[in-house]
Amino acid sequence: MSAAKGGARERVPGRGPLPGWVVPGSILLLVAASSQVVFPLWERAWLLFVGVAFVCLVLVVQEVEPRVPMRHRGLYGKALAFGFPVVLLLTWEWLSTSGVLNARWFPPPSQIAVALWELTITYDRFNRTSLIGRPWLLPERLASDGWAGAVALANESHVWATLSRVGFGFAIGAAPGIVIGMVMGLNRTVRMMLDATMSAFYVLPKIAIFPILMLVFANPFGEGPKIAVVAISAFFLVAISTMAGVQGIDEVYLEAGRNFGANRWQMFRHVILPAALPIVFSGLRLALGTALIVIVAVEFVRADRGVGFLIFYNWQVLVTPRMYAALVVVMGLGVLLTSILQLIERRVMPWRRTPDPR
Amino acid sequence: MALKIVSTAAQKRFPTRHGWMTAIERFDLEVEEGEFVCVVGPSGCGKSTFLRILAGLDHVTGGDVRIVPGPDPSQPLNNVVFQEYAVFPWKSVLDNVAFGLEMRGVGRSQRYERARQWLAKVGLTRFEDYYPGQLSGGMKQRVSIARALTNDPQVLLMDEPLGALDAQTRTVLQEELLTIWEESRKTVVYITHSIEEAVFLADRVVIMTAHPGRVKEEFRVDLPRPRDLSTMATPAFAALTGAVWEALRDEVTRAMAAQA
């Protein structure tokens, strides 16, 4: 028993053995903390209280780990990773239903879930929008109005509006970004000519040029400027990382290519492109994150559809559960787009998958 | 026998901030067809520079270094086994080994067939679908050697190919390399800083001076072939390594003093 404990403690770097009273003390504190009796007394010091509770939780959980059999450690890790947010949500639920948190500004997660469900199934007559475009009406509309019916349904959807803006903008910006970045990486003259200019644009928050784009496009309130601002944000990020990727290629690969008689095209196809790909993809990931930020900001300012609009509108009319629900949707979109990119990444770079154990 | 590599008064100078740095100067070397030559010298003596010039990856600033082309113009002049492996992480083992043939436009089935033959010789048949990231250092260097040999160059250039490996893997690979070479008898220029390795592998050991790099002395290694680990235990081997070390010692001390 003591040996097992000692072994467990060695796993925590920079910490000596805990005094024996710490764990039972922590459990006591946690129990006391979660009882309604103690909490009101401490209301003003809630931040301190949260900190202490977290430390106690960590101390208790740490003592559990060495008792978990080795073969269940993976499961244990997952349980911690998913259990903690669940605990957070439950705490939030409890805090705002019990009135410690102002439920108007911090509605309990259950209310947010309900709001999300309502948003999904209802049609907003005032804004003439719905969250996902009421796909269950699709067969009916197709029958009555044909494709125009389907398009009308897509057009009323917040999710589709945001997704299409990000999708088109990202594609339109990233593709030339890769090409220009490659050229800049490969050609010294082009690089020296463009580098300063690109860096200048790179530091400019792209949302700042949105007004200019609204001037440029015939319809300032249409999709054009929104897609363009996403495209421009993606372009610079992708171009600059691609350039860095090409420049960072280990000289020895280029020499090996040359030594084995690769011509210019083969050099590009077999050496430069695959060698630069990992950095190109990290640029794409960065650009995707930025594209989401930019589109939400743009939709705050100037849109009658889109998830950003949904957040901002529900702030204006003070329906906070729906505001939070829209946030959840944004998170979902982020996860969705990132995993699509990850899927592409794995397909394009099969050698980057985790190595098989031999 | 016919001369395969001729270097006459080769010179290589690099521009640096403090003026010109001479890597090699008045470098004379002749290598015969089918000869295995090891070049040994203190670190920084320009032995890798000479190899890069031979490989066509760098140019002389004076004199002449050339590989005498063989009768078959389609056979590549040289291929390099690089110090840091330089196998492409994005290509499977099989595609890495078939790389040279692919660049020369050899069809898929034909180049894979030849690549597989060499993979078998270096004992990597089982790993043809693996990526280099899944292999150990020793296996990566085997891939690199197979890649060069599959391309069947007239001259094989090796730049401290085993330098990064641990002592045991190194010994195993030295033996494998000898076995393969004794079959093919290709012209080899092999750069190393290990005297034992040089004497064990080579027909001739060339010792270089440092700053500037120049041929100091040559030793013919008459140890009988085929050689194996027991060769290293013979008195002749010990005598030769001793002699090489005697010749090299001054250079190493000089190089160390120059660096200090």
Side-chain angles (χ1 to χ4, degrees), chain A residues 47-70:
Chain A
L47 198 60
L48 178 78
F49 178 80
V50 168
V52 171
F54 183 74
V55 170
C56 294
L57 189 68
V58 170
L59 288 177
V60 171
V61 172
Q62 241 171 16
E63 291 305 310
V64 174
E65 179 163 1
R67 290 175 179 76
V68 177
M70 221 43 191

Short mmCIF file of all heavy atoms in Angstrom, two decimals, chain A residues 47-70:
data_model
loop_
_atom_site.label_atom_id
_atom_site.label_comp_id
_atom_site.label_asym_id
_atom_site.label_seq_id
_atom_site.Cartn_x
_atom_site.Cartn_y
_atom_site.Cartn_z
N LEU A 47 -14.80 33.90 -6.07
CA LEU A 47 -13.69 33.55 -6.96
C LEU A 47 -12.64 32.74 -6.20
O LEU A 47 -12.16 31.70 -6.66
CB LEU A 47 -13.06 34.83 -7.52
CG LEU A 47 -12.21 34.62 -8.76
CD1 LEU A 47 -13.02 34.02 -9.89
CD2 LEU A 47 -11.61 35.95 -9.21
N LEU A 48 -12.31 33.21 -4.99
CA LEU A 48 -11.39 32.50 -4.11
C LEU A 48 -11.93 31.10 -3.83
O LEU A 48 -11.21 30.10 -3.90
CB LEU A 48 -11.25 33.27 -2.80
CG LEU A 48 -10.35 32.62 -1.75
CD1 LEU A 48 -8.89 32.86 -2.11
CD2 LEU A 48 -10.66 33.17 -0.37
N PHE A 49 -13.24 31.07 -3.59
CA PHE A 49 -13.90 29.82 -3.26
C PHE A 49 -13.78 28.82 -4.40
O PHE A 49 -13.44 27.65 -4.20
CB PHE A 49 -15.37 30.12 -2.96
CG PHE A 49 -16.15 28.90 -2.67
CD1 PHE A 49 -16.10 28.32 -1.41
CD2 PHE A 49 -16.94 28.32 -3.64
CE1 PHE A 49 -16.81 27.19 -1.14
CE2 PHE A 49 -17.65 27.18 -3.39
CZ PHE A 49 -17.59 26.62 -2.13
N VAL A 50 -14.01 29.31 -5.64
CA VAL A 50 -13.89 28.43 -6.81
C VAL A 50 -12.47 27.89 -6.93
O VAL A 50 -12.26 26.70 -7.18
CB VAL A 50 -14.28 29.21 -8.10
CG1 VAL A 50 -13.87 28.42 -9.34
CG2 VAL A 50 -15.77 29.47 -8.12
N GLY A 51 -11.50 28.76 -6.70
CA GLY A 51 -10.11 28.34 -6.77
C GLY A 51 -9.81 27.24 -5.78
O GLY A 51 -9.24 26.20 -6.13
N VAL A 52 -10.22 27.44 -4.53
CA VAL A 52 -9.96 26.45 -3.48
C VAL A 52 -10.66 25.13 -3.81
O VAL A 52 -10.07 24.05 -3.70
CB VAL A 52 -10.43 26.98 -2.10
CG1 VAL A 52 -10.37 25.88 -1.05
CG2 VAL A 52 -9.60 28.18 -1.69
N ALA A 53 -11.92 25.24 -4.29
CA ALA A 53 -12.66 24.03 -4.63
C ALA A 53 -11.95 23.25 -5.72
O ALA A 53 -11.85 22.02 -5.68
CB ALA A 53 -14.08 24.39 -5.09
N PHE A 54 -11.41 23.99 -6.72
CA PHE A 54 -10.72 23.31 -7.82
C PHE A 54 -9.47 22.58 -7.32
O PHE A 54 -9.22 21.43 -7.67
CB PHE A 54 -10.35 24.32 -8.90
CG PHE A 54 -9.69 23.68 -10.10
CD1 PHE A 54 -10.45 22.94 -11.00
CD2 PHE A 54 -8.34 23.81 -10.31
CE1 PHE A 54 -9.85 22.34 -12.08
CE2 PHE A 54 -7.73 23.20 -11.40
CZ PHE A 54 -8.50 22.47 -12.29
N VAL A 55 -8.71 23.27 -6.46
CA VAL A 55 -7.49 22.64 -5.92
C VAL A 55 -7.85 21.38 -5.14
O VAL A 55 -7.22 20.34 -5.28
CB VAL A 55 -6.72 23.65 -5.04
CG1 VAL A 55 -5.59 22.94 -4.29
CG2 VAL A 55 -6.15 24.77 -5.88
N CYS A 56 -8.91 21.46 -4.32
CA CYS A 56 -9.35 20.30 -3.54
C CYS A 56 -9.72 19.15 -4.47
O CYS A 56 -9.34 18.00 -4.25
CB CYS A 56 -10.56 20.65 -2.67
SG CYS A 56 -10.16 21.83 -1.38
N LEU A 57 -10.45 19.50 -5.54
CA LEU A 57 -10.88 18.49 -6.50
C LEU A 57 -9.68 17.78 -7.10
O LEU A 57 -9.62 16.55 -7.17
CB LEU A 57 -11.71 19.17 -7.60
CG LEU A 57 -12.42 18.23 -8.56
CD1 LEU A 57 -13.52 17.48 -7.84
CD2 LEU A 57 -13.00 19.01 -9.73
N VAL A 58 -8.68 18.60 -7.50
CA VAL A 58 -7.47 18.02 -8.10
C VAL A 58 -6.78 17.09 -7.12
O VAL A 58 -6.37 15.98 -7.46
CB VAL A 58 -6.51 19.13 -8.57
CG1 VAL A 58 -5.16 18.54 -8.97
CG2 VAL A 58 -7.10 19.89 -9.75
N LEU A 59 -6.68 17.53 -5.86
CA LEU A 59 -5.99 16.72 -4.84
C LEU A 59 -6.69 15.38 -4.64
O LEU A 59 -6.04 14.34 -4.55
CB LEU A 59 -5.94 17.48 -3.52
CG LEU A 59 -4.96 18.67 -3.50
CD1 LEU A 59 -5.05 19.40 -2.17
CD2 LEU A 59 -3.55 18.21 -3.77
N VAL A 60 -8.01 15.41 -4.61
CA VAL A 60 -8.75 14.17 -4.40
C VAL A 60 -8.60 13.25 -5.61
O VAL A 60 -8.29 12.07 -5.48
CB VAL A 60 -10.24 14.48 -4.13
CG1 VAL A 60 -11.04 13.18 -4.13
CG2 VAL A 60 -10.38 15.21 -2.81
N VAL A 61 -8.78 13.84 -6.81
CA VAL A 61 -8.72 13.02 -8.03
C VAL A 61 -7.33 12.41 -8.20
O VAL A 61 -7.18 11.27 -8.62
CB VAL A 61 -9.11 13.86 -9.27
CG1 VAL A 61 -8.86 13.06 -10.54
CG2 VAL A 61 -10.58 14.24 -9.18
N GLN A 62 -6.30 13.19 -7.82
CA GLN A 62 -4.93 12.71 -7.94
C GLN A 62 -4.71 11.45 -7.13
O GLN A 62 -3.93 10.58 -7.52
CB GLN A 62 -3.96 13.78 -7.47
CG GLN A 62 -3.04 14.23 -8.54
CD GLN A 62 -2.24 15.43 -8.12
OE1 GLN A 62 -2.16 15.77 -6.94
NE2 GLN A 62 -1.68 16.10 -9.09
N GLU A 63 -5.38 11.36 -6.01
CA GLU A 63 -5.23 10.18 -5.17
C GLU A 63 -5.94 8.97 -5.77
O GLU A 63 -5.67 7.85 -5.41
CB GLU A 63 -5.75 10.45 -3.75
CG GLU A 63 -4.89 11.43 -2.97
CD GLU A 63 -3.43 11.00 -2.90
OE1 GLU A 63 -3.17 9.84 -2.53
OE2 GLU A 63 -2.55 11.83 -3.21
N VAL A 64 -6.88 9.25 -6.69
CA VAL A 64 -7.61 8.14 -7.30
C VAL A 64 -6.76 7.45 -8.35
O VAL A 64 -6.74 6.23 -8.46
CB VAL A 64 -8.93 8.66 -7.94
CG1 VAL A 64 -9.62 7.54 -8.71
CG2 VAL A 64 -9.84 9.23 -6.86
N GLU A 65 -5.99 8.26 -9.11
CA GLU A 65 -5.30 7.72 -10.29
C GLU A 65 -4.47 6.46 -10.02
O GLU A 65 -4.62 5.48 -10.73
CB GLU A 65 -4.43 8.79 -10.94
CG GLU A 65 -3.68 8.21 -12.15
CD GLU A 65 -3.12 9.26 -13.08
OE1 GLU A 65 -3.27 10.46 -12.81
OE2 GLU A 65 -2.53 8.86 -14.08
N PRO A 66 -3.59 6.45 -8.98
CA PRO A 66 -2.77 5.24 -8.79
C PRO A 66 -3.60 4.01 -8.46
O PRO A 66 -3.11 2.88 -8.58
CB PRO A 66 -1.84 5.61 -7.64
CG PRO A 66 -2.38 6.84 -7.04
CD PRO A 66 -3.20 7.52 -8.08
N ARG A 67 -4.84 4.18 -8.06
CA ARG A 67 -5.67 3.02 -7.72
C ARG A 67 -6.40 2.46 -8.94
O ARG A 67 -7.03 1.42 -8.86
CB ARG A 67 -6.68 3.42 -6.64
CG ARG A 67 -6.00 3.67 -5.29
CD ARG A 67 -6.97 4.18 -4.23
NE ARG A 67 -6.26 4.38 -2.97
CZ ARG A 67 -5.45 5.39 -2.72
NH1 ARG A 67 -5.26 6.31 -3.64
NH2 ARG A 67 -4.84 5.50 -1.54
N VAL A 68 -6.31 3.19 -10.06
CA VAL A 68 -6.94 2.69 -11.28
C VAL A 68 -5.99 1.70 -11.94
O VAL A 68 -4.82 2.01 -12.12
CB VAL A 68 -7.23 3.85 -12.26
CG1 VAL A 68 -7.83 3.32 -13.56
CG2 VAL A 68 -8.14 4.88 -11.62
N PRO A 69 -6.48 0.49 -12.28
CA PRO A 69 -5.59 -0.49 -12.92
C PRO A 69 -5.05 0.06 -14.24
O PRO A 69 -5.72 0.83 -14.92
CB PRO A 69 -6.51 -1.68 -13.19
CG PRO A 69 -7.73 -1.45 -12.38
CD PRO A 69 -7.83 -0.01 -12.07
N MET A 70 -3.82 -0.36 -14.59
CA MET A 70 -3.11 0.19 -15.75
C MET A 70 -3.96 0.09 -17.01
O MET A 70 -3.97 0.99 -17.84
CB MET A 70 -1.80 -0.58 -15.92
CG MET A 70 -0.63 0.30 -16.28
SD MET A 70 -0.59 1.81 -15.33
CE MET A 70 0.65 2.73 -16.19
#
